[in-house]
Amino acid sequence: MSIKLKLSPTTAASEPASPTKSEGKEMEVAPELGSPTLHGENIGLLERGLKTMLSIRKSKRSLKKEKEQEGTGTLRKKRLSFLSSKSYEENKTTVPNDLEEVVETIETEPIEGKPLSVMEINELIQKQKLLEAFASIKYMEDETIAERDADKYKDNPQEFVRKTKDVDLLYNSIKDMIQSIVVGTLEHPTVEEATLASLVTLIAREEAAHPNAGSAPGSDLLGSPRRWREEWREAINESARKRVLRVPLASKEEESSWLDIHLCFLQKHLSEDLLKIKLSVKKCYPEEYQVCDIYVEAFHKAIASHLQDLSQRVLEFNELYSLLDWVANTYRSELFLGHPDLKPEVKTENLSLLLTPADWDRLKNDYITSVKAKIKSYFGNILRLEVTEKWEKEVHPEVEDNLYHSSLSFDIQTIIGEHMKISGAISKSLKAKTLELCLAELHEFIPRFGEEFMEWHAARDSPVFVPYFAAYTNSFHHLVSGLETVFKVNTEELQKIMASLTKNFRNMFLNKLRTKTQPLLKKILTKDWILAMEKPDSLAAAVSQFSKHLQHTRQPLGQELLRHVHKYVVREYIVQVTKPRRKMNRETRQQVSERMSQEAKILNKVLIDQGSDSDWLLPALHHIANIIGEKKKDRIKEHVKELSQDYPDIRKEHILAILMLRGLGYTRRAAIFRQSFHRPPECPDSRGENTLFDEIDVSAVISCF
């Protein structure tokens, strides 16, 4: 049964386990991981140890007697009988039922130690006849101990050293073969069950032959435990290490997605190994060996060491994410160690961290640094695309829900959202840091974007300036709203940045409007204007080119800007009218009055139709036109009175300038002013923001009075 793997990272968020778990302990299985019979197994080990010690003591007591009666040959026979029968039967290892026949064959074959040479014993080892080789080595060891105790080497200590070394070398040779068998277990396509069963029997016989007693007097080697079970465990560790290092690993130059591919292979190959251990290797060992737990721990350590090496490389954004995500989400999930096919033998709950806390924090910090550079790059690409694909090509923005639309807000929120999503899949703290740095980059990007936009359009008279001004204004509003509702962000600082940028946009908009309208405004009261050489809707048309776009601007900004436009046009019109002029005759005054009324009507209609709510501006030009065109001087003061009532911020100099345009002399102007204007000069405005004449400077005409 194969384990299905996926290349794409999972989205479930998980924080790695506590980094305080020890990774350096001897590989023993904790009580909670063991079977319910663990206590019984410990008792069994104790009983076997006691029996072995009693057997050895009995053997030593018999040795003295037999030495006097039968000599060395009889002694050898007795010791071999101990190894091949009683000692093994008392310490026989229990194996699963499916291997009983194999083990039974091993048990029923008599294995007796023989006085073989070192070369002959080594040949047995190389042929993996380990039980026979062990019996002969033990025979040699016991013989050497007996001869030492009989002071046989008193006159030839070098011979004793030589034999002791031979015994040790042969035991080490068996140890090496044990390691080779264990390492080869996962290398071969099939598991050699008989070989592993023989290995288990060998370890049991050695443990029975060398109980945990101190070394024999005068020697550090003879009679000492060989601890082959520990060597077996170390061999499993070495096997796991080699298996991990053998997983294909391409270079970055060969494959840009080298780390993703490598982690995928690591996941696939090791899953297959663990499944093989569960289904084939486990049944070759007694329960007390806890084979699956030891293999899992070995692979865990090997992977941890390998990932630590990988983490020391200079990793880019995608590589950092792949590594963090694999450790946080994939490793213990159903994609790998938690796969249903590996349960319940493969346990993950007590495994330590794959990466040390220091390495984990370093990777997260590197990831945050990489995200910051990535976000800055993304924002830079947004600006570049706006310039090359929209401004330079003068592509008008689309209209959605009657508003000019820009993808700016959507693009920014998508970038932030995606990075928060993948960071949150690794850890909550990483998600919070990602949002924090995204906002910091956004606070830098928005002013930079605004400056670029204004510099670009200041140098040219582009027809897309106003539409994009409206589109970006709408987008900024949408961005602030989205950050507040979707990402739960405090946008106070961002709103200040947006307000400053919007103000700059508005000023640039009004400057563009001024540039377009000033040439037309300056023609007011000129000869061509009076003679209607200029169309009466020329000014309105120029204004409309700007104001028509404001109806596609999000409220209240669109309405606010439309008020500015409406007020600007009326105010600048009055400024032109109140400039000192030569005296006009009656016919000219009539023409001026009619032209003013006509243009005022067209201007006001255009702006009101486009959504302006500044209807308080409508009477201004009509009042002035009436004053200029009034034939009866006595009725002029009524028009002045109406003008001053509708616009309380009007001052004396404004009225005198208008009367001067009408062609009245100083005395008449002064009299009309006294009779029709009763508000004290510089009176505070009673209409709040609706001020018009306060913003008109006519000090230049005062000297003419």
Side-chain angles (χ1 to χ4, degrees):
M1 185 180 301
S2 62
I3 295 178
K4 297 180 180 179
L5 303 172
K6 295 182 179 179
L7 286 173
S8 60
T10 59
T11 56
S14 64
E15 191 81 15
S18 170
T20 59
K21 294 182 181 180
S22 173
E23 295 185 27
K25 293 182 179 179
E26 184 180 355
M27 299 178 63
E28 294 181 353
V29 181
E32 60 268 26
L33 286 179
S35 67
T37 61
L38 184 59
H39 180 65
E41 291 168 357
N42 289 336
I43 292 174
L45 290 173
L46 178 60
E47 289 176 352
R48 290 198 298 272
L50 289 172
K51 288 180 180 180
T52 302
M53 290 177 66
L54 290 174
S55 177
I56 292 172
R57 288 177 182 176
K58 181 179 178 182
S59 176
K60 284 186 176 181
R61 285 198 304 269
S62 301
L63 177 62
K64 240 182 175 183
K65 187 175 180 181
E66 292 170 353
K67 178 181 175 185
E68 297 171 355
Q69 298 175 357
E70 300 180 33
T72 305
T74 305
L75 175 62
R76 291 177 180 176
K77 190 173 183 181
K78 291 289 185 179
R79 292 195 178 278
L80 288 176
S81 175
F82 163 75
L83 279 173
S84 62
S85 58
K86 185 176 180 179
S87 176
Y88 173 64
E89 289 297 326
E90 291 177 346
N91 298 279
K92 178 172 61 176
T93 302
T94 303
V95 296
N97 292 331
D98 55 348
L99 282 183
E100 285 184 355
E101 294 182 3
V102 177
V103 176
E104 185 178 351
T105 303
I106 296 173
E107 292 177 1
T108 55
E109 291 179 357
I111 303 176
E112 297 182 356
K114 301 175 183 178
L116 302 177
S117 66
V118 171
M119 186 176 296
E120 290 172 327
I121 296 174
N122 190 61
E123 186 176 348
L124 291 175
I125 295 173
Q126 300 309 313
K127 293 178 179 179
Q128 294 191 0
K129 296 181 179 181
L130 301 184
L131 295 176
E132 186 178 347
F134 172 70
S136 294
I137 300 171
K138 186 66 174 64
Y139 169 83
M140 183 184 298
E141 182 181 39
D142 288 347
E143 181 182 57
T144 304
I145 291 174
E147 290 174 347
R148 179 200 62 194
D149 293 344
D151 292 334
K152 181 178 178 180
Y153 302 110
K154 184 177 182 180
D155 297 329
N156 190 8
Q158 291 82 6
E159 180 66 14
F160 174 72
V161 172
R162 183 187 63 78
K163 285 191 174 183
T164 300
K165 286 184 177 180
D166 287 344
V167 170
D168 190 56
L169 288 172
L170 290 170
Y171 274 144
N172 284 338
S173 184
I174 288 187
K175 179 195 72 174
D176 293 340
M177 184 56 68
I178 290 173
Q179 293 176 342
S180 176
I181 291 171
V182 173
V183 170
T185 298
L186 296 179
E187 302 284 344
H188 302 144
T190 58
V191 174
E192 296 293 335
E193 297 180 356
T195 301
L196 293 182
S198 176
L199 180 63
V200 171
T201 303
L202 174 69
I203 293 174
R205 288 186 181 182
E206 191 280 328
E207 289 175 347
H210 298 124
N212 286 328
S215 300
S219 173
D220 293 332
L221 301 174
L222 291 180
S224 62
R226 295 296 163 170
R227 308 188 188 282
W228 284 343
R229 193 177 301 217
E230 293 181 11
E231 298 294 342
W232 169 80
R233 288 175 177 170
E234 287 302 317
I236 289 178
N237 287 334
E238 179 64 14
S239 174
R241 188 186 71 83
K242 288 182 176 180
R243 300 291 289 176
V244 168
L245 294 180
R246 195 172 297 174
V247 173
L249 178 61
S251 66
K252 186 179 298 187
E253 292 73 22
E254 294 172 333
E255 176 56 61
S256 59
S257 301
W258 65 274
L259 186 54
D260 277 326
I261 295 173
H262 175 66
L263 293 175
C264 178
F265 277 131
L266 188 66
Q267 181 181 337
K268 176 181 182 295
H269 292 179
L270 270 57
S271 294
E272 292 172 352
D273 282 349
L274 291 173
L275 192 60
K276 183 177 181 180
I277 292 163
K278 172 187 173 179
L279 299 179
S280 301
V281 178
K282 178 190 173 187
K283 63 185 180 182
C284 298
Y285 290 91
E287 185 67 27
E288 67 184 70
Y289 272 68
Q290 307 255 345
V291 172
C292 286
D293 291 336
I294 291 177
Y295 265 106
V296 169
E297 182 66 24
F299 275 114
H300 179 73
K301 289 180 179 179
I303 294 171
S305 176
H306 181 56
L307 293 185
Q308 186 179 36
D309 291 341
L310 290 177
S311 72
Q312 301 299 323
R313 300 188 180 193
V314 178
L315 301 177
E316 297 177 357
F317 168 77
N318 291 334
E319 297 158 355
L320 287 165
Y321 173 76
S322 295
L323 186 56
L324 289 169
D325 180 64
W326 197 85
V327 171
N329 298 316
T330 303
Y331 181 63
R332 298 171 191 262
S333 74
E334 290 189 356
L335 295 172
F336 193 9
L337 294 188
H339 196 281
D341 287 351
L342 296 177
K343 292 180 178 179
E345 284 78 5
V346 174
K347 308 176 184 69
T348 61
E349 54 269 19
N350 290 330
L351 293 177
S352 58
L353 283 177
L354 273 178
L355 296 173
T356 65
D359 286 335
W360 179 256
D361 290 340
R362 176 176 53 79
L363 281 177
K364 288 201 300 183
N365 290 335
D366 290 346
Y367 176 79
I368 286 296
T369 302
S370 184
V371 169
K372 182 176 182 180
K374 204 76 173 176
I375 296 298
K376 187 183 291 293
S377 175
Y378 285 149
F379 287 168
N381 287 338
I382 289 175
L383 177 55
R384 180 178 56 80
L385 289 174
E386 291 294 306
V387 173
T388 58
E389 299 299 320
K390 296 178 181 179
W391 303 349
E392 289 182 349
K393 296 181 179 180
E394 295 189 343
V395 178
H396 280 259
E398 297 178 354
V399 177
E400 293 183 5
D401 299 327
N402 200 40
L403 296 175
Y404 280 130
H405 172 73
S406 167
S407 62
L408 197 64
S409 173
F410 176 80
D411 292 341
I412 291 173
Q413 290 189 66
T414 299
I415 291 169
I416 295 175
E418 285 299 315
H419 280 277
M420 285 184 63
K421 180 181 178 181
I422 62 176
S423 298
I426 297 171
S427 74
K428 291 180 179 179
S429 62
L430 205 58
K431 180 180 180 180
K433 287 183 179 180
T434 299
L435 177 59
E436 182 181 340
L437 73 87
C438 284
L439 291 176
E441 288 300 315
L442 185 60
H443 289 173
E444 292 183 8
F445 170 71
I446 294 298
R448 181 161 59 95
F449 181 89
E451 290 173 5
E452 189 82 13
F453 177 68
M454 289 186 290
E455 288 176 5
W456 172 263
H457 290 289
R460 57 190 46 78
D461 183 19
S462 174
V464 299
F465 166 73
V466 181
Y468 272 109
F469 158 67
Y472 293 145
T473 301
N474 295 338
S475 193
F476 291 152
H477 180 276
H478 183 267
L479 177 60
V480 171
S481 176
L483 291 174
E484 290 176 343
T485 57
V486 178
F487 301 102
K488 312 301 179 185
V489 170
N490 182 348
T491 61
E492 183 178 351
E493 183 65 26
L494 185 60
Q495 288 188 58
K496 292 179 181 178
I497 295 173
M498 296 293 193
S500 175
L501 183 59
T502 301
K503 181 180 178 181
N504 293 337
F505 279 4
R506 183 187 66 193
N507 291 339
M508 187 174 186
F509 169 83
L510 294 175
N511 287 336
K512 288 269 186 181
L513 175 64
R514 186 176 295 109
T515 302
K516 285 289 186 181
T517 57
Q518 278 299 317
L520 295 171
L521 287 167
K522 289 180 179 180
K523 291 182 179 181
I524 295 174
L525 295 181
T526 63
K527 183 177 180 180
D528 289 342
W529 182 85
I530 295 172
L531 296 176
M533 300 297 290
E534 291 286 337
K535 294 181 180 180
D537 61 349
S538 298
L539 180 59
V543 173
S544 179
Q545 287 183 356
F546 283 76
S547 58
K548 68 181 180 181
H549 298 295
L550 298 180
Q551 60 186 319
H552 302 303
T553 306
R554 187 177 297 276
Q555 303 305 335
L557 182 61
Q559 191 67 255
E560 178 187 343
L561 285 170
L562 201 55
R563 293 191 196 109
H564 276 285
V565 171
H566 200 160
K567 186 176 182 179
Y568 164 78
V569 175
V570 173
R571 184 185 68 237
E572 292 301 311
Y573 201 107
I574 294 173
V575 167
Q576 294 299 324
V577 169
T578 55
K579 286 182 178 180
R581 307 282 179 178
R582 290 182 298 176
K583 215 170 193 183
M584 295 182 291
N585 57 32
R586 176 181 294 183
E587 183 181 357
T588 302
R589 289 197 300 270
Q590 285 298 119
Q591 290 174 321
V592 168
S593 177
E594 291 174 4
R595 181 65 184 252
M596 281 185 64
S597 295
Q598 186 181 19
E599 286 194 339
K601 183 178 180 180
I602 295 173
L603 277 171
N604 286 322
K605 184 179 186 308
V606 167
L607 293 170
I608 294 297
D609 287 348
Q610 289 177 353
S612 173
D613 59 357
S614 299
D615 52 356
W616 64 278
L617 292 168
L618 296 177
L621 296 181
H622 289 291
H623 286 320
I624 296 173
N626 289 337
I627 292 172
I628 294 172
E630 181 57 57
K631 297 177 180 179
K632 297 179 180 180
K633 294 183 179 181
D634 291 341
R635 294 189 59 183
I636 293 177
K637 61 183 177 181
E638 296 299 326
H639 296 306
V640 173
K641 185 176 182 180
E642 291 173 359
L643 178 61
S644 61
Q645 287 175 346
D646 286 341
Y647 302 96
D649 63 322
I650 196 169
R651 300 191 300 273
K652 176 181 178 181
E653 56 266 30
H654 297 130
I655 294 175
L656 294 178
I658 294 169
L659 292 175
M660 183 179 177
L661 181 62
R662 169 60 179 76
L664 298 177
Y666 175 78
T667 303
R668 190 66 176 223
R669 295 198 303 268
I672 291 175
F673 177 79
R674 286 193 302 271
Q675 294 171 11
S676 58
F677 190 79
H678 301 291
R679 184 174 67 85
E682 307 303 329
C683 177
D685 177 33
S686 61
R687 300 187 64 175
E689 295 182 356
N690 293 346
T691 60
L692 177 61
F693 287 90
D694 268 351
E695 300 173 23
I696 299 174
D697 183 14
V698 292
S699 57
V701 303
I702 297 177
S703 60
C704 300
F705 299 147

